[in-house]
Amino acid sequence: MTGPTPADPNEPAGARLPEFRIDRPADGQRRRGTGRGWRGRGAGGEQVTVPPVDFTSYYGRPILKPPVWKHDIAGYLFTGGLAAGSALIAAGAQLTGRPRLRQVSRGTALGGIAASTYLLVHDLGRPDRFHHMLRVAKLTSPMSVGTWILTAFGPLAGVAAVAEVAPLLPRHGALGLARRLAPPVGDVAGLVAAATAPALATYTGVLLADTAVPSWHDAYPALPFVFAGSALAAACGVGLIAAPAAETAPVRRLALAAAAIELAGGHRLERMGLTSEPYRQGRSGRLMRAGRALLAVGATAALLSGRSRALSALSGAALLASSVATRFGVFEAGVTSARDPKYTVVPQRERRDQEGDRSPAEKRT
Amino acid sequence: MAEAHPVGFQWVMEAKRRGAKVFHVDPRFTRTSALADSYLPIRAGTDIALLGGVVRYILENELDFREYVVSYTNAATIVNDDYRDTEDLHGLFSGFKEKNASYDQTSWQYHGHEQNGTRDTETQRETAAGLEHESHGAPVNGQTERDETLQHPRCVYQILKRHFARYTPEMVERICGISQEKFLELAQAWTENSGRNRTGMLVYSVGWTQHTVGVQYIRTGAIIQLLLGNVGRPGGGVMALRGHASIQGSTDIPTLFNLLPGYLPMPHHADHPTFDEWVDSIRHPGQKGFWGNARAYGVNLLKAYWGDAATAENDYCYGYMPRMTGDHGTYQQVLNMIDGKVKGYFLLGQNPAVGSAHGRAQRLGMANLDWLVVRDLFMIESATFWQNGPETETGEIVPEQCRTEVFFLPAASHVEKEGTFTQTQRLLQWREKAVEPPGDARSELWFFYHLGRIIRDRLATSPLPRDRALLDLNWNYPTHGPLAEPSAESVLYEINGYDVASGRPLASFTEMKDDGSTAGGCWIYTGVYADGVNQAARRKPGSEQDLVAAEWGWAWPANRRILYNRASADPDGRPWSERKKYVWWDAEKGEWTGYDVPDFEKTKAPSFRPPSGAAGVAAIAGDDPFVLQGDGKGWLYAPTGVLDGPLPTHYEPAESPVRNPLYRQQSNPTRKVYTHPINTLNPSPPEAHSDVFPYVFTVSRLTEHHTAGGMSRTVRPLAELQPEMFVEVSPELAVERGLNHLCWAHLITTRAAIEAKVLVTDRLTPLRVEGRIIHQIWLPYHFGYQGLVTGDSANDLFGITLDPNVLIQESKVGTCDIRPGRRPRGRELLDVVVDYRRRSGNLNPHYPPMVTTDDAASDSDQEA
Amino acid sequence: MVHANSLYGPLDPAPDAGYEDAPPRMGFFTDTSVCIGCKACEVACKEWNDVPASGLDLLGMSYDNTGALTANSWRHVAFVEQPRPSGWATPAFEDTPAGPPVSAATATFGAETATHTGTDPGIPSGSPGAAARMVGGSEFLGMPGAQPPGRGTGVEGRSDFRWLMMSDVCKHCTHAACLDVCPTGSLFRTEFGTVVVQEDICNGCGYCISACPYGVIDQRKNDGRAWKCTLCYDRLGAGMTPACAQACPTESIQYGPLEELRGRAAARVATLHGRGVSEARLYGHDPNDGVGGDGAFFLLLDEPEVYGLPPDPVVTTRDLPKMWKRAGLAAVTMAAAAAVAFIGGRP
């Protein structure tokens, strides 16, 4: 640990006093806090200068605890949405007789929900206790609601996907019976799964919004739409990549609708005042912009792709990437808003000052 | 107080809740200041100037409680014609002997008391004789000349007035750095809160005592309290906040080299060759007061020690008593260790390697013993100095070669053993054992009982006369439990005293006989086991008692909660006021009565006047409340007993950057100085080079840690609250020296250089003193090299200079330099200290002159 | 039994949680005007509840080396040094040759120290600017740089100074978001109206941590579960006082029936205002506030954010019904979009 540079012995007392003044414009490299206390900071004795700031807090520390959720959750937002969207498309394909699209989407739905389950359990502080989620069912806990949606959706999606392997089974014997029964069972399961899919895709919006995290909570009107659109976009992406162009016309239309829904919702995120900042600035802002750009590209390409496999694949990739970017963007934005006390203090003060009833004198009662 | 005594501070907060105004005087803005109504930053070591200013304020404005002062203090007493004051002698009193820098007190005596009954004052200093006066005043002959009009030029009142005449608000500002406005706010509030209807209490702690004029600090406070009539009355008095549990108990039944239980002096080889001479030196034939019975107290103590072996024929084994030959105080011992004169050392719950001044001397001393026994709760610095101390880094101690054999014995904590705590109000409170001590941990009682038992077994057959003292000891205590723990109650019974024949516990020290028919270990504690009941264990809630709560614990003497409480009534025995009613004379019944146990002979009427020639208790008049004082009066002026002057005087600390603005005499001329190669001192004015150490530093406690840290740096929940050694500096000093928040700095004196993290804080301020800017630095003294959190020890910075009365070290103020960055390591550490000694003018051990009255080269002295 | 106010508004939580004839709601009133910052509450809490260590770092935040409420610190004493007048005291440094204050500058250093507390995410470092602003107090909101003469960071010599201390703790909200969002039922409402985590149930999903508007509940490293003040549920059950209140020497932390405490608090504020301490105000006492009133409320001497408290927290579940509505709408939109995409395209 290095000490400060000694003062020049001939220096008049007070000559360095300005260094302790803080109302000077920010200049020079600022130290970054490290995990090891003040140690690890550069040599001491550097000038103390502070950027202008217009709110107060306790040593500038976060008032809220930043979410302890790891990126598992951001990932889950994507995989869960993908599964839900795919289940819807699978049902559509099933009802409109598009077997390849149906197979692809049922597979994706199963893959997505499997990944989701893994990510959710992995994120727990005590994964071995994941089943404690099933002790209760609480409407006030979006996570509890989501758990039950998953519990319903998962097996159905599984059955629907497994039914797709029926043609590979032998024609005779017990398995032969299964081969004959599987398709109708799969169809029923697929349709019921599709019925629960929209809930699966949109409850995650409430999951994030029902917290004290400023940029998530304030976004509650928009998040479900952003996530719904993002879910459809991702699912469309897979469809466009994996299904034959002959079957993807509805998917291309759906991609446009998805884009419309997500962009409409996303637009609201920009208009929440201070707590919109994280959606525009920094890493989370960049992710959100990337998500929007990719969405536009993907949707346009989907529109133009027609029967071109290459363009469809490109479109699909863009849509998938867009969904990933958006989910991580929203996740990061929330974490940022919780880490900076500004997003907690300033809006609450504004609200208080509007109420204008909190002068100390009146606070007595 | 909030910092070091947060639990006691609850009562200050309670008073504040009821509208009391709280003043806080401290070099640094502490947690106490945060709650105070007025905070007065003061230059460390100048409190006598501040308090002297209050004394002057009282006298000049005639704000004293005149009726109380005239009747109950020695204000009216006439003093010897030969007495000369500091006013006349540039800061010295008459009778100063340059030869041994001590006072001949003859000229201080009351008029007509030519001969001074006490030992020569140098011996008194060597033996910290001042401590004997904790329970009673110094001896004076009872009969005194008085002028109750207070007009006589040599009456104490006039002497006091003249002595403090120069302690003006302007002077307070010049010396302490406290503005006149703030000083007057303080003086006014203090005086307004005293009188018939109100009383004020003075509470101090080691911030006052640990100075070369520590005793005089307290004297000044006592003078103010006497002038305001705040002694012997409810809500009054001068209270010491102790640094540990039962510090009071450790002077009542002392862990001191110069005292025996109950403030009986330890025999001195020259002054007390025989039992009778020893006793007479205590009771002073002809003197007023309860010390007339000193013979009984002495006999009972010896009977308690040696039981049946102690008989009238053999002077109750007085011959067995060890004798003092001079200064056996802790600092002299440490220097003797360095010089190889001491072979073995017991440390019990003490950590001198961190907690005592001049840590380096402490550690080098301990490194030069044959054996060292450390009993503590944790492995403390004093047990590992040979291995981890700073001196191992500088090569001064080589672990492989360190000759000291260290025995570390785990000790039981206060919850793991039974016994009593005696707190500052002299209240004994019994402590139950909550849990068994872990592992090999044992109580002190267990340790010493069994140590004695084993030694006595070893010597059982010894024919040597020198072993008789041990073998004749009355060493029979019942033990219990698997560990053979001695019964603490049986010890309390012995301390209380008993009738030898019947074994009946004594009810009061008045039952003690001087014929050997009773035995008692500590006469002032007699009654704590009255009727065979452990009175200290009484716990009747205050809510079920009156305000005195006499049935909670037991206070010495005689369960009396306020000493000298006869002063709570006026000379005629009537309460001063209904509001402050406490003890009064019941004319019908013809006896003293009240809420508390009257501190007066029960049936002695206020009007009683002793016949001339009366002595002892009989000589106390009906209006002499201070029954343990030779003249029955409270002493504004001390004709004897205080070695550095009959009146408090502001002297600069031994190390100060400032020339004494009041007198030519710079610092206490009778301070105890140890000339030893290791004990170097920083120069102070009028000497040259004092500017090498331009800053004043002081040390004290943090709430989060306890003393030397042995009980807090070792405990995680406490350690993490203050995890590193730090130094607090003002922004101004930070700028002057290039110090930065949370970066390293090191402090240097002629003894040591230590490092600490810097906390730059607005809580410290420079002061304007004598037209100069004085910067003050604050450090916690809790840190050492053992425990969960470690750091350099602030006490390493101090040298050894003591108060002459009680040999307490000046460890609350010193001078130093501070520089940014970490201290040098290894040999270079010694080099930097040597370099500072060279720059400060002297590589040899340095001792400022004792007397500086010839040095007029300063406009500071008023008469210069 | 679901109450009209189950999600928002005044409410007595224990009966709402289904307790028949529950005891009166118990809570804390923390009066910072008598806090001496001794941290006995922190130590008593750790000792009684056997809370693990929270790091040995010197943070340089005045005497605060705990930093924040975490999974390993259930009581946290905040220290704020301000070159500002205190309602009851005469200016501390009025007549000393003191220069400009440094509190703001040192606070910026303190803001950047970070430490592992054995919890997740530990104590993240903060914004230096906001820290500097803290010592000036909230009055400087929106007026960067401006400081009254002789105070704050002006060049004039400092004269006023005050040292704020405040023992923070879980608020045991009337509407506790942590409890509402807990998917396992690990967090529950006690008969005393307090909120407690069941460590044998919690599976560390972390939802409560993001839901708490005060940033109280926290996840412990190498354990994964969420931890916070239990208001010494075990002691309450035995009719004892919580450890921190028991240890507090100056009755800064008062424990008792909430209604009684609210009365005491109002009286205390009135007294302080009477003595010219106009900055005294209550925080979290109002049943009509965003969380339906706190079970642990405070008397503060500056704006809440100066102590690290949110100025006007609102329980997130207040908006939950609206959230579900929006989600439902989005779900329908999604389904419709899919239907249209497939049906609409039929030749």
Side-chain angles (χ1 to χ4, degrees):
Chain A
M1 289 159 253
T2 53
T5 51
D8 168 5
N10 309 323
E11 162 184 289
R16 287 154 54 103
L17 204 49
E19 292 177 20
F20 281 115
R21 298 185 47 193
I22 61 147
D23 53 347
R24 297 174 57 191
D27 63 321
Q29 187 66 27
R30 290 218 47 77
R31 294 179 311 276
R32 287 267 45 89
T34 75
R36 300 185 294 100
W38 81 284
R39 302 184 199 74
R41 283 210 312 247
E46 60 214 80
Q47 287 198 181
V48 180
T49 53
V50 173
V53 61
D54 57 0
F55 72 101
T56 303
S57 72
Y58 185 65
Y59 294 93
R61 307 273 176 171
I63 284 179
L64 302 172
K65 290 273 178 289
V68 293
W69 290 334
K70 301 181 274 296
H71 280 117
D72 295 335
I73 296 303
Y76 159 69
L77 295 176
F78 169 71
T79 56
L82 178 60
S86 300
L88 271 178
I89 293 176
Q94 169 191 334
L95 295 173
T96 58
R98 294 183 165 85
R100 289 291 297 120
L101 180 61
R102 189 193 69 226
Q103 288 161 6
V104 166
S105 301
R106 283 185 178 179
T108 313
L110 177 57
I113 206 64
S116 302
T117 314
Y118 166 78
L119 290 167
L120 286 175
V121 173
H122 180 260
D123 186 70
L124 293 177
R126 283 291 182 90
D128 54 318
R129 291 185 175 182
F130 74 95
H131 58 277
H132 288 195
M133 292 284 190
L134 304 174
R135 290 179 72 245
V136 292
K138 287 168 73 175
L139 262 181
T140 60
S141 173
M143 190 178 284
S144 175
V145 172
T147 306
W148 290 108
I149 294 175
L150 250 75
T151 319
F153 179 91
L156 292 166
V159 170
V162 170
E164 294 294 342
V165 303
L168 308 180
L169 294 173
R171 296 178 175 283
H172 305 293
L175 290 174
L177 180 65
R179 175 190 171 114
R180 279 192 301 284
L181 286 182
V185 174
D187 289 352
V188 175
L191 290 179
V192 183
T196 57
L200 174 62
T202 55
Y203 96 89
T204 47
V206 183
L207 180 74
L208 296 195
D210 192 24
T211 62
V213 177
S215 293
W216 286 348
H217 180 86
D218 293 2
Y220 76 82
L223 282 181
F225 288 90
V226 175
F227 287 180
S230 183
L232 288 173
C236 292
V238 176
L240 287 168
I241 295 172
E247 295 187 5
T248 56
V251 178
R252 285 197 292 272
R253 287 194 290 276
L254 189 55
L256 281 180
I261 297 171
E262 181 176 340
L263 290 173
H267 185 54
R268 278 192 80 139
L269 289 181
E270 309 276 324
R271 293 183 293 120
M272 305 185 304
L274 184 63
T275 47
S276 288
E277 221 171 65
Y279 291 111
R280 294 195 303 266
Q281 299 176 357
R283 182 142 164 268
S284 49
R286 285 195 296 279
L287 283 164
M288 293 303 286
R289 281 195 295 281
R292 274 201 304 284
L294 286 162
L295 187 59
V297 171
T300 323
L303 188 62
L304 306 176
S305 61
R307 294 192 171 275
S308 150
R309 293 293 288 117
L311 204 51
S312 296
L314 172 78
S315 155
L319 290 172
L320 275 170
S322 152
S323 182
V324 173
T326 305
R327 307 296 188 144
F328 278 77
V330 169
F331 184 82
E332 294 277 330
V335 175
T336 308
S337 72
R339 275 186 173 276
D340 189 336
K342 173 174 68 178
Y343 300 112
T344 311
V345 174
V346 175
Q348 290 190 19
R349 279 204 70 87
E350 281 167 4
R351 182 169 67 236
R352 255 183 53 172
D353 298 347
Q354 281 155 18
E355 292 168 15
D357 68 328
R358 298 294 175 86
S359 73
E362 288 158 1
K363 289 202 78 168
R364 245 182 299 171
T365 49
Chain B
M1 182 173 178
E3 283 283 350
H5 298 87
V7 176
F9 195 71
Q10 68 183 294
W11 304 117
V12 177
M13 294 309 296
E14 177 59 29
K16 196 171 179 238
R17 203 175 269 126
R18 299 185 188 184
K21 199 168 181 198
V22 181
F23 288 80
H24 186 230
V25 184
D26 198 297
R28 110 185 198 271
F29 191 101
T30 71
R31 286 177 249 225
T32 312
S33 328
L35 276 296
D37 297 282
S38 185
Y39 165 67
L40 294 76
I42 185 174
R43 177 165 66 96
T46 64
D47 301 52
I48 289 179
L50 174 66
L51 296 168
V54 176
V55 173
R56 178 187 173 280
Y57 177 86
I58 294 169
L59 296 176
E60 293 301 315
N61 302 298
E62 307 241 325
L63 296 169
D64 53 291
F65 188 172
R66 186 56 57 89
E67 195 176 351
Y68 179 104
V69 168
V70 170
S71 317
Y72 295 164
T73 75
N74 63 358
T77 312
I78 315 289
V79 171
N80 194 313
D81 313 6
D82 308 337
Y83 169 73
R84 294 290 173 275
D85 190 75
T86 50
E87 291 294 301
D88 317 313
L89 303 174
H90 300 297
L92 295 180
F93 292 93
S94 49
F96 186 76
K97 297 179 290 180
E98 297 262 355
K99 177 170 65 40
N100 56 12
S102 69
Y103 281 107
D104 169 358
Q105 304 177 348
T106 313
S107 63
W108 305 353
Q109 301 296 305
Y110 290 152
H111 188 61
H113 296 196
E114 303 317 335
Q115 94 293 352
N116 168 350
T118 58
R119 287 167 280 162
D120 106 84
T121 50
E122 192 178 12
T123 315
Q124 288 188 36
R125 179 170 59 201
E126 292 300 293
T127 58
L131 281 170
E132 296 165 24
H133 305 312
E134 176 149 348
S135 70
H136 64 294
V140 295
N141 185 320
Q143 329 307 335
T144 60
E145 263 182 64
R146 294 169 60 81
D147 167 21
E148 306 220 329
T149 68
L150 304 183
Q151 295 314 308
H152 191 292
R154 278 182 295 100
C155 80
V156 164
Y157 187 85
Q158 294 298 333
I159 289 174
L160 202 63
K161 208 166 172 176
R162 182 152 171 270
H163 177 81
F164 286 105
R166 64 173 67 179
Y167 291 67
T168 60
E170 301 72 24
M171 187 54 80
V172 170
E173 187 169 31
R174 276 176 60 193
I175 298 175
C176 310
I178 294 173
S179 74
Q180 301 183 37
E181 295 65 30
K182 279 204 164 173
F183 164 75
L184 290 169
E185 185 191 8
L186 169 72
Q188 200 176 353
W190 198 341
T191 49
E192 279 172 359
N193 196 56
S194 305
R196 281 182 176 275
N197 287 302
R198 308 192 69 81
T199 52
M201 178 189 287
L202 196 55
V203 177
Y204 71 91
S205 192
V206 295
W208 262 17
T209 49
Q210 293 180 352
H211 293 278
T212 46
V213 284
V215 166
Q216 295 286 19
Y217 269 52
I218 317 306
R219 281 268 302 132
T220 329
I223 288 170
I224 294 173
Q225 291 297 68
L226 283 170
L227 286 174
L228 297 177
N230 283 334
V231 182
R233 301 178 59 201
V238 181
M239 280 245 180
L241 288 174
R242 307 311 201 161
H244 325 247
S246 215
I247 288 281
Q248 177 66 49
S250 75
T251 52
D252 298 344
I253 297 182
T255 53
L256 301 163
F257 75 93
N258 61 333
L259 285 187
L260 294 167
Y263 301 95
L264 299 172
M266 190 67 153
H268 186 276
H269 76 102
D271 300 348
H272 313 119
T274 69
F275 180 66
D276 293 322
E277 283 166 287
W278 178 60
V279 168
D280 287 345
S281 78
I282 307 168
R283 72 191 170 107
H284 304 290
Q287 184 190 343
K288 280 189 189 181
F290 278 85
W291 281 92
N293 305 332
R295 184 179 183 84
Y297 312 149
V299 169
N300 276 265
L301 176 63
L302 296 176
K303 282 293 287 183
Y305 282 167
W306 284 288
D308 301 340
T311 63
E313 294 64 43
N314 63 10
D315 277 344
Y316 304 96
C317 300
Y318 178 75
Y320 288 167
M321 290 294 293
R323 304 289 203 272
M324 293 189 294
T325 58
D327 175 2
H328 311 294
T330 170
Y331 288 98
Q332 182 62 64
Q333 292 307 316
V334 164
L335 299 177
N336 290 347
M337 291 179 203
I338 294 173
D339 298 344
K341 298 180 195 163
V342 177
K343 299 301 171 200
Y345 199 30
F346 278 93
L347 288 178
L348 304 120
Q350 188 166 359
N351 191 5
V354 173
S356 296
H358 205 330
R360 179 163 163 269
Q362 302 287 339
R363 294 184 292 265
L364 291 179
M366 289 189 289
N368 196 31
L369 296 164
D370 291 352
W371 54 266
L372 168 65
V373 176
V374 180
R375 296 190 85 254
D376 211 295
L377 307 181
F378 295 93
M379 188 60 74
I380 54 172
E381 287 79 2
S382 297
T384 64
F385 64 91
W386 58 275
Q387 185 183 25
N388 306 335
E391 289 69 29
T392 59
E393 198 183 291
T394 59
E396 292 166 286
I397 297 177
V398 181
E400 296 71 23
Q401 295 162 15
C402 180
R403 57 191 290 268
T404 309
E405 185 177 6
V406 180
F407 302 86
F408 181 82
L409 305 174
S413 82
H414 57 286
V415 298
E416 295 160 351
K417 61 193 176 191
E418 56 183 6
T420 59
F421 279 144
T422 308
Q423 42 85 301
T424 184
Q425 192 201 352
R426 314 175 320 281
L427 189 68
L428 282 78
Q429 297 178 93
W430 188 260
R431 200 183 61 242
E432 313 287 349
K433 178 166 74 177
V435 291
E436 285 296 334
D440 292 337
R442 298 285 184 275
S443 70
E444 278 66 35
L445 189 52
W446 183 94
F447 175 72
F448 282 112
Y449 170 69
H450 288 289
L451 182 64
R453 184 181 53 78
I454 292 161
I455 293 175
R456 282 157 51 87
D457 292 351
R458 295 273 176 86
L459 297 176
T461 59
S462 163
L464 297 173
R466 72 165 191 222
D467 295 330
R468 293 314 311 166
L470 268 165
L471 295 169
D472 290 348
L473 276 175
N474 180 18
W475 204 252
N476 317 310
Y477 302 95
T479 63
H480 57 85
L483 306 178
E485 177 75 17
S487 152
E489 279 214 349
S490 72
V491 177
L492 190 66
Y493 164 79
E494 180 182 80
I495 289 171
N496 174 88
Y498 50 90
D499 180 274
V500 173
S502 66
R504 177 187 62 83
L506 303 179
S508 153
F509 60 78
T510 54
E511 291 181 17
M512 284 184 161
K513 304 286 186 302
D514 62 4
D515 59 5
S517 60
T518 62
C522 180
W523 71 277
I524 55 177
Y525 278 22
T526 305
V528 68
Y529 210 74
D531 315 323
V533 176
N534 182 346
Q535 306 288 340
R538 297 180 303 171
R539 296 203 184 89
K540 186 172 178 182
S543 52
E544 299 170 19
Q545 308 188 51
D546 64 12
L547 62 107
V548 175
E551 290 172 61
W552 179 282
W554 185 90
W556 73 260
N559 198 30
R560 189 173 290 123
R561 303 308 167 105
I562 296 181
L563 279 181
Y564 304 134
N565 56 32
R566 191 251 175 266
S568 67
D570 68 13
D572 302 329
R574 296 183 304 261
W576 289 109
S577 68
E578 199 52 34
R579 190 167 179 278
K580 288 292 176 179
K581 199 172 174 187
Y582 196 67
V583 163
W584 58 91
W585 172 254
D586 183 331
E588 291 78 56
K589 293 215 191 75
E591 62 177 33
W592 289 96
T593 179
Y595 307 123
D596 197 355
V597 180
D599 191 0
F600 211 64
E601 280 175 288
K602 200 158 179 53
T603 58
K604 180 177 279 185
S607 55
F608 172 83
R609 294 294 175 275
S612 65
V617 183
I620 296 172
D623 62 351
D624 282 344
F626 295 85
V627 292
L628 290 174
Q629 295 290 93
D631 55 357
K633 303 296 185 194
W635 282 6
L636 298 166
Y637 170 98
T640 182
V642 190
L643 304 184
D644 46 1
L647 290 171
T649 306
H650 168 71
Y651 298 116
E652 286 292 322
E655 289 182 359
S656 166
V658 177
R659 179 75 172 107
N660 188 346
L662 270 172
Y663 313 96
R664 290 186 188 177
Q665 180 56 32
Q666 172 72 6
S667 49
N668 188 343
T670 63
R671 65 188 181 274
K672 175 72 177 168
V673 175
Y674 291 107
T675 55
H676 188 283
I678 199 167
N679 189 31
T680 55
L681 300 178
N682 302 350
S684 304
E687 291 177 284
H689 308 302
S690 60
D691 55 339
V692 174
F693 302 99
Y695 306 120
V696 175
F697 78 98
T698 182
V699 306
S700 58
R701 288 192 193 179
L702 291 163
T703 313
E704 293 86 344
H705 285 300
H706 182 255
T707 61
M711 290 171 73
S712 56
R713 283 183 293 110
T714 47
V715 180
R716 189 168 284 283
L718 294 173
E720 61 191 15
L721 297 178
Q722 289 291 2
E724 279 188 77
M725 174 65 180
F726 61 91
V727 54
E728 290 184 355
V729 299
S730 68
E732 296 74 18
L733 178 56
V735 165
E736 187 171 305
R737 275 295 194 248
L739 310 172
N740 274 286
H741 197 58
L742 287 188
C743 298
W744 287 97
H746 57 287
L747 297 88
I748 308 107
T749 67
T750 48
R751 277 78 55 179
I754 68 163
E755 66 187 8
K757 291 282 183 61
V758 175
L759 289 194
V760 183
T761 172
D762 288 337
R763 290 183 290 105
L764 266 81
T765 178
L767 296 171
R768 183 169 284 104
V769 173
E770 283 289 77
R772 288 169 52 193
I773 300 290
I774 294 292
H775 291 290
Q776 303 201 95
I777 297 170
W778 179 86
L779 307 111
Y781 75 93
H782 303 294
F783 285 85
Y785 41 86
Q786 291 297 122
L788 296 168
V789 294
T790 59
D792 287 355
S793 303
N795 280 330
D796 288 10
L797 294 172
F798 286 107
I800 302 173
T801 311
L802 312 183
D803 171 288
N805 294 289
V806 296
L807 298 184
I808 192 164
Q809 75 287 348
E810 183 157 81
S811 56
K812 281 288 166 276
V813 57
T815 60
C816 70
D817 191 16
I818 185 167
R819 285 155 50 165
R822 306 199 66 166
R823 63 169 165 79
R825 304 279 144 184
R827 278 274 156 205
E828 291 173 26
L829 180 58
L830 298 178
D831 297 343
V832 72
V833 174
V834 168
D835 178 55
Y836 265 81
R837 278 166 55 187
R838 184 183 49 70
R839 285 171 50 204
S840 65
N842 194 344
L843 274 178
N844 306 322
H846 181 82
Y847 303 97
M850 298 301 286
V851 181
T852 59
T853 49
D854 304 337
D855 187 313
S858 148
D859 58 353
S860 65
D861 191 324
Q862 305 253 297
E863 298 141 312
Chain C
M1 49 198 278
V2 173
H3 185 284
N5 285 353
S6 280
L7 293 181
Y8 192 67
L11 176 80
D12 189 353
D16 180 67
Y19 287 98
E20 308 293 334
D21 50 57
R25 184 180 181 185
M26 305 304 272
F28 287 132
F29 165 46
T30 305
D31 178 355
T32 68
S33 71
V34 295
C35 177
I36 58 174
C38 69
K39 304 183 191 172
C41 47
E42 288 192 32
V43 177
C45 175
K46 284 208 165 193
E47 289 286 346
W48 178 262
N49 296 298
D50 196 18
V51 180
S54 50
L56 294 171
D57 288 294
L58 186 70
L59 297 181
M61 300 159 61
S62 187
Y63 276 3
D64 178 3
N65 294 306
T66 305
L69 286 173
T70 67
N72 289 10
S73 301
W74 299 353
R75 271 272 177 192
H76 162 236
V77 181
F79 289 78
V80 181
E81 299 185 11
Q82 294 179 323
R84 309 180 55 214
S86 141
W88 58 64
T90 52
F93 302 117
E94 199 162 40
D95 310 295
T96 66
V102 74
S103 298
T106 54
T108 60
F109 277 82
E112 296 207 312
T113 57
T115 178
H116 288 310
T117 59
T119 77
D120 218 347
I123 304 173
S125 60
S127 137
R133 199 57 57 185
M134 166 184 70
V135 310
S138 53
E139 70 203 45
F140 305 119
L141 276 170
M143 30 192 283
Q147 306 275 353
R151 314 223 181 110
T153 58
V155 289
E156 305 84 352
R158 62 186 185 275
S159 60
D160 287 326
F161 183 81
R162 69 172 183 172
W163 200 7
L164 302 178
M165 298 152 196
M166 175 263 202
S167 177
D168 197 5
V169 69
C170 172
K171 314 299 179 296
H172 296 275
C173 311
T174 301
H175 298 293
C178 57
L179 188 160
D180 285 345
V181 303
C182 174
T184 64
S186 163
L187 276 146
F188 75 106
R189 179 78 60 179
T190 74
E191 64 270 39
F192 304 102
T194 59
V195 180
V196 176
V197 189
Q198 301 175 78
E199 59 203 61
D200 56 338
I201 303 297
C202 176
N203 67 2
C205 76
Y207 204 0
C208 50
I209 293 159
S210 302
C212 175
Y214 296 97
V216 169
I217 194 165
D218 186 22
Q219 187 176 50
R220 183 175 297 162
K221 279 204 189 77
N222 319 321
D223 172 275
R225 290 171 295 177
W227 298 87
K228 74 169 192 73
C229 161
T230 68
L231 215 136
C232 286
Y233 186 43
D234 50 348
R235 293 173 65 96
L236 265 58
M240 297 166 71
T241 301
C244 54
Q246 185 79 54
C248 179
T250 60
E251 291 176 342
S252 170
I253 302 174
Q254 299 176 32
Y255 162 78
L258 197 55
E259 272 318 307
E260 186 189 323
L261 291 178
R262 284 173 176 161
R264 251 189 261 167
R268 175 64 180 166
V269 173
T271 313
L272 285 173
H273 286 192
R275 294 186 186 170
V277 189
S278 56
E279 65 266 38
R281 82 286 308 270
L282 294 182
Y283 175 84
H285 63 299
D286 181 358
N288 298 305
D289 70 14
V291 296
D294 292 327
F297 66 101
F298 302 81
L299 185 155
L300 304 179
L301 298 173
D302 204 332
E303 291 296 336
E305 53 267 42
V306 169
Y307 298 92
L309 297 166
D312 187 22
V314 171
V315 60
T316 182
T317 44
R318 176 191 66 178
D319 303 323
L320 191 55
K322 283 181 270 170
M323 294 180 196
W324 282 131
K325 284 200 194 71
R326 295 292 297 179
L329 198 55
V332 172
T333 315
M334 186 180 180
V340 170
F342 279 92
I343 300 156
R346 276 247 162 120

